[in-house]
Amino acid sequence: MKKAVKPHAGKEIHIVLDNLSTHTTPDVKAWLAKNPHVHFHFTPVGSSWLNQIETWFGIITRQSIRRGTFSSVRVLVQQIHDYIDSWNENAKPFTWTATAGEVLAKVRLVTANVRKLVNNNDN
């Protein structure tokens, strides 16, 4: 954390983490108390919102990075920044459109299909 925070001295830093218990040990809490400009934000249990982030990474990969030729990491990073700037000019938020019922129906379908595969392999 020291190395990650040092280049941003004097700035508010927000870090998104999963709910892993190692992020809330007494040592981590003590470090955060000494570094009040660093704020941890924990993902919700289940973290289904991460699917939306994965969607964003898929979009930027397909539309900006894949099949690209980059002469250096610096050029690749600039390409990513340029794409994000362009995207943000007309950005619209991602919204979760599936209902709980639709999600649960898909879970039941996948579960049934997995059971069929397992049962077929047992024979």
Side-chain angles (χ1 to χ4, degrees), residues 8-44:
H8 309 286
K11 296 179 182 173
E12 291 292 310
I13 299 171
H14 296 268
I15 302 169
V16 178
L17 302 163
D18 61 16
N19 276 306
L20 194 62
S21 61
T22 58
H23 302 315
T24 56
T25 63
D27 287 341
V28 171
K29 288 180 181 181
W31 187 87
L32 287 170
K34 293 177 185 172
N35 294 274
H37 63 290
V38 178
H39 309 278
F40 281 3
H41 304 279
F42 297 99
T43 60

Side-chain angles (χ1 to χ4, degrees), residues 106-120:
K106 287 182 183 180
V107 168
R108 285 190 290 274
L109 179 64
V110 169
T111 301
N113 288 335
V114 168
R115 283 192 185 127
K116 286 179 189 175
L117 286 170
V118 170
N119 290 338
N120 287 338

